[in-house]
Each structure stands twice: as C-alpha cells, then as structure tokens.
Amino acid sequence: MPGMGTPELPVPDGLVLRPFRGVRFAVEDPAKVTSPPYDLISDANVEALLSSHPNNVVRLILPCSPAGDSSSAPVPGQDTEPRPVDGAPSSPEAGRENSHPGTGPASPRPGTGPEGSRTGTAPEKRPGAGPSPQAQAPLGGQPDTVTPLPAQAPLESRYIEARDTLKAWLDSGVLVADDVPALYVYEQSGAGVLQRGLIGDVGLTDPEQRIILPHEDVMPGPVADRLALMSTTQANLEPIFLLYDGANGTATRLVDAVASDRQPQVSARTEDGLTHRLWAITDPEEIAAINADLHDRQALIADGHHRYATYRVLQRQEHESHLQADPAGEPAPDGDEPTPPPTGPAPERTGPAAGPIRPVPEPIDQASQRVDSAGARRHDPSAQVDGAPAGEDGPADAGRSTAGPWDFGLALLVDTSAYPPDLQAIHRVIPGLPLDEAAARAKGSWRVHDYDDLARGLAALEEAAEPAFLLAGEIGAHLLTDPDPVQLAHAMPPDRSGRWNSLNTSVLSEFVMPKVWGMRDNERTVRIVHHDARAAARLAARSGGTAVILNPLKAEEVLAVAAGGERVPRKSTSFGPKPRTGLVLRTFAID
C-alpha cells in the first residue's frame, strides 16, 4: 500500500481529450487581449501588448505589476486604442530578436528560461522550487553552471497579482465562462498557413506509457516558475501544443466539418497577419467519437515541455495536498466497485511515433481510478458518455486518489497528416567568440567554405549535406561541412543511438562546441534566436561574436528520436504555428 503523502495517481488508458468549460474574454476585439506564448515574449513585447489593451492576457501569464491594478479593468466590451510605446516593436512577433540577454530594455521577468528562452541567463529561484535552479541539472540532462540573476522584487507577489487579476476579470465580466463543457476547434489561417486542431483537457500520462511523448529535456527553473503561477491561480492559462498522426480519421474529419459548416464563437486577426477562429463542440456523441478515434494514438509534445512537466508536478502536489487533508478517504456508496486496471498485453499505438506501449513503471492498484477514454472523470456522475452517466468513485483508501481537474492539462492537438507542422531552426549566438577565431579553429576538423556575404552562405547551407553549420557575424560567413569522421565518431556519445548522434544539434552540442571551441551549449555562454538567421547574424555583430546558423531538423527525425525514448538536445526544434494565448483559458474551479 502506498505510504502517506504518495498517492496513486489516476492513469489514463489512452490518449484522452476531455471537454471543459472554457473561459473567454468578452471584449470587442479579442485579438487585442491575446499574446504569443509566454516564453516568446520580450520585455518590449510586454509593453506593446499592454498598450494594445489593458486586459491583455500577458498580465496573467507574465505578471509584472504594470501601471494600474486589476481593479481598474474596463467594463466588458470596452476597448482602448493602442498607445505608442517608445522602442516597442510594431507587433508582438517583431521583438523576437530582443528576446535574448542584453537586447531588451528591462530586467528579466518570471517565465524566462529554456522553454522558449526569452533570456539566456539562468532561471530565477521560484517559491517551492527547492535548491537553487542554478545548481540543478536539466531534468534528464547534465548540470550546467550558470550566472545568478540580480535580485528582484519578491516573486510571490507577482503570482498573487495574477491570481487577483484573474478573479477581478471574472467578477467584472471581462472574462466569462461558457455554460457547457466543450472541446474547441481552433483554426489558424493566413498567407501560406492553415492549421486546425482540437483544444481540450488532455489526460496526463507518464512518458513511459508511450501516450504523450516529450522530445526535449526540461530545466527546473521554468517548471518551478510555471508551477507557482498555475498553483496560485489554479488555472491553465495557455495550451501546450501536441501533434499526432490521425490519418485523417474521425476526429480530423469532424474538425474540418465544424470549421467549414458552423459559425465560430471567436474570430480574431492578430498583428502577425494570422486569423484565429474558435468553435465549441458540445454534443456528447461527437465528443465520444473524437475520443474513440484518439484513444489508441500517440501524441508528441511540439511546444510546451516545461508546462507539461508542470502539469504533472502540480498533479502530484494537489493529490498529496488532498490526501493530507483527508487521509482516511471518502467511503464509496454501497455496492460501488472499483474499476480494475487494464489487463493483458499492451496494445499497439498509432501516431507520430508509433510503437508498443511500455508498461507503466509503478503497479496500478485495483482501487486506483482511471480516466475514462471518452473524456469523462469517473468521480463526476453528471458527465455524459454516449448519453449515459459516467461511473462514480470506488472506495478510496489512504494513498489512493480519484481524478480531479489537476489530472488534465490544457492542450491543442493537431493531426500532422492533415496539417503538417512548420518546423524551423533555433540558431545560436556566442558573444565571446570572434567570428575569425571560430572559423580558424574549425579548420582542424571541418572543411570551411568562405563567403563574402550572408545571403550566399545561407544558400550554400540550405544545399549542404548534414551535418553543416554557417558561422556569421559582422563581416562575411563561413560554412562548415564534411567533418573529420574519426574526430566526429570519437566525440559523439557511445550510449546514444545513431539516430540521435546524426542530428545537427547533437553534433553541435557534443562536437563543435566542446571539442572545437572548448565550451558548452548552455545558457551561460550561448544566446538563442528563433528562426531568423539574419537576426542572429546582427546580434553576433553587435556583440563581437559568432552566430551559428542551422538548418531545421526534419519532423520525422524528431519523432523517431522521441519514439526511441531519447530527447533531442536543448533548443533543437521550433514547431509552428504555435497556439495564440488568450483565446480560451481554463480554471480548475470552473472546469
């Protein structure tokens, strides 16, 4: 029997997407209250977003005590005109280059760190995080030595501010909850862009179950930060991004039918040129059909590794808290029997990384609760599955828990067979390494091609066989190709798969950085720039350093590594288009 304080957690028996009562902004122009994901927002972006609308969701996801307080929120439907901010970019996406140390006008904010790395310095210590994150290793990785951040105002007040702002907006009607639980069809469209998927409560699983697959390690600092925010607000304020191979199945066909034939509840055009539309699916039969289609599939975490890790930490924390508050458990009604765990051999799964499910690492007691595959919580007798009430709780002994809102996390699920992802590269900038020195030192193990201008170098990189890297800075560019095979083989870790060792980011982190340049690819020495190679070169030129420009990985490479139970090196992938934050929120009390 589990000991006190270590409850058995509900175990989903497949990929589950449960309906929830979405919380949405009641404003005239919903675009003005949305934002990019928290980890892609620079300090200048924060000011621009707040100038667009005082109720912008950035006040919840990155609380930073802007002028005014939560009690001064406008009445529902009242918009304010944008106010120009000196030095602010013209759109939230325009400030991405400034999302790195030394390029923004203000000090780092909570939430900065490896998930999208708005800064290259160390994450701050968060309430309840235990030892300082500066002294901790990546969760699943190796220790890094990083420079502590300067002292800041107490972080607890920022999380409390987000909680109080959320409550004030709900009380005043700035935020309104939908009456009926729903799965939400979400569409992003624009020039050359069309992506549709489903937003709902995804059932949380251990990676060993092979249902939801991570492909990157996470760092403790951002997890502690998001944990403090989620636990204080008791909310999921922005969805993670999951991909699965749905083979244009029932769920995808329904998504397309809804987007084609029904009127959206929300339509918003954001400054990046994308139009975002949202529909609610509330019919129990449609929800059951979606979950029947999803049940045996696998999903890959495309964006949101730190938030998914936070979901799982919060899940255990909340179950332990409730166990301590009620150690004896609640007796079940007479005659109600516990749900037995699945028996027999593990079924095969289909999806972006198809393969057999590994056994759950801990034994599942027969009294442990499972999440119903149609998306209903078993302890909620009002939940409908195919028109019939879901089962009630079985007996609960000490150490055993029933499913609650913390056993799910807000997620967008997209079928890659219908909507292939846009996978882009994340480039590095090394301020302390002059470009000429970087190229000279590479000549001992790489073939180095010199180019007079960046455009020619970028064209050559695009055509080069992997692994290949373009070094750029103030003047010219240098393409690295054809590494010495003996030196490369000696540098790559023997305990890694050949697939992992062939990734360009693996070669960079294990060979080029430590062996050629004598440094590690970590937050202390390296800044990162999403997507924009020219922005990386400009940043390198300003800092007198070197930009390392990479070709993007292929989606199938990432999926194959994840299927093998490995993680790609940090900052290897940037999947898009990422879901816009603020279109639909989830609170545990309303859920």
Side-chain angles (χ1 to χ4, degrees), residues 100-474:
H100 314 288
T103 63
S107 60
R109 301 182 186 277
T112 60
E115 183 163 0
S117 252
R118 295 172 50 240
T119 148
T121 53
E124 303 166 71
K125 185 173 181 180
R126 309 297 184 207
S132 169
Q134 288 84 0
Q136 296 186 51
L139 304 183
Q142 297 298 318
D144 281 328
T145 301
V146 291
T147 305
L149 290 175
Q152 296 189 20
L155 294 174
E156 292 89 341
S157 64
R158 298 181 180 181
Y159 305 121
I160 293 171
E161 177 188 332
R163 179 199 66 193
D164 293 346
T165 299
L166 177 61
K167 182 179 185 301
W169 290 356
L170 285 165
D171 290 344
S172 68
V174 170
L175 286 171
V176 177
D178 288 340
D179 293 332
V180 180
L183 296 179
Y184 295 86
V185 172
Y186 174 42
E187 178 189 86
Q188 296 158 278
S189 61
V193 174
L194 177 62
Q195 178 172 275
R196 292 171 179 163
L198 286 161
I199 295 178
D201 287 355
V202 71
L204 305 183
T205 68
D206 188 285
E208 290 297 320
Q209 291 177 255
R210 317 284 295 162
I211 296 173
I212 298 177
L213 299 174
H215 72 273
E216 289 183 349
D217 287 326
V218 298
M219 297 288 289
V223 172
D225 163 58
R226 294 295 95 179
L227 177 62
L229 180 66
M230 289 184 201
S231 61
T232 303
T233 60
Q234 290 286 283
N236 296 156
L237 301 172
E238 49 187 335
I240 63 172
F241 183 18
L242 303 177
L243 300 174
Y244 78 107
D245 183 357
N248 284 293
T250 301
T252 300
R253 292 196 300 272
L254 183 55
V255 163
D256 288 340
V258 168
S260 300
D261 302 335
R262 304 182 191 179
Q263 288 297 314
Q265 290 184 305
V266 177
S267 182
R269 182 178 175 83
T270 49
E271 292 184 9
D272 57 5
L274 292 183
T275 297
H276 306 262
R277 298 198 296 170
L278 201 71
W279 297 259
I281 297 177
T282 58
D283 183 87
E285 292 186 1
E286 292 182 336
I287 292 171
I290 288 170
N291 274 281
D293 182 36
L294 296 179
H295 182 270
D296 292 333
R297 303 190 189 276
Q298 286 178 312
L300 177 82
I301 302 176
D303 186 64
H305 284 81
H306 287 89
R307 280 167 282 166
Y308 187 75
T310 301
Y311 289 166
R312 297 190 63 230
V313 174
L314 180 63
Q315 177 190 36
R316 184 166 292 280
Q317 174 179 289
E318 292 290 347
H319 277 284
E320 289 175 353
S321 174
H322 285 74
L323 177 64
Q324 291 168 5
D326 186 13
E330 291 291 334
D334 291 341
D336 193 16
E337 295 296 325
T339 302
T343 58
E348 293 288 324
R349 292 200 167 271
T350 60
I357 305 175
R358 294 177 181 172
V360 179
E362 297 178 352
I364 306 171
D365 190 275
Q366 286 194 347
S368 298
Q369 299 297 303
R370 292 184 294 126
V371 178
D372 189 273
S373 62
R377 289 176 293 178
R378 290 194 175 273
H379 79 288
D380 183 2
S382 66
Q384 298 290 316
V385 181
D386 292 330
E392 297 181 1
D393 291 336
D397 293 331
R400 301 187 179 100
S401 301
T402 55
W406 315 277
D407 299 307
F408 302 85
L410 189 62
L412 167 67
L413 192 62
V414 172
D415 178 358
T416 58
S417 64
Y419 301 101
D422 178 19
L423 179 52
Q424 299 192 55
I426 302 178
H427 311 298
R428 273 68 169 165
V429 174
I430 309 170
L433 181 64
L435 178 59
D436 290 346
E437 180 181 345
R441 291 166 67 177
K443 290 180 179 178
S445 51
W446 291 78
R447 185 177 179 186
V448 179
H449 312 259
D450 301 326
Y451 295 92
D452 294 334
D453 61 80
L454 181 61
R456 291 182 58 208
L458 290 172
L461 173 66
E462 188 174 348
E463 299 297 325
E466 293 292 345
F469 308 96
L470 185 69
L471 312 184
E474 187 171 5

Side-chain angles (χ1 to χ4, degrees), residues 549-586:
I549 298 168
L550 300 83
N551 284 321
L553 297 180
K554 295 179 173 62
E556 53 267 29
E557 294 175 326
V558 179
L559 301 178
V561 168
E566 294 180 297
R567 308 286 187 269
V568 299
R570 81 176 195 106
K571 298 304 164 195
S572 289
T573 61
S574 180
F575 284 94
K578 302 181 192 304
R580 190 77 176 179
T581 297
L583 292 170
V584 61
L585 286 60
R586 172 186 182 241

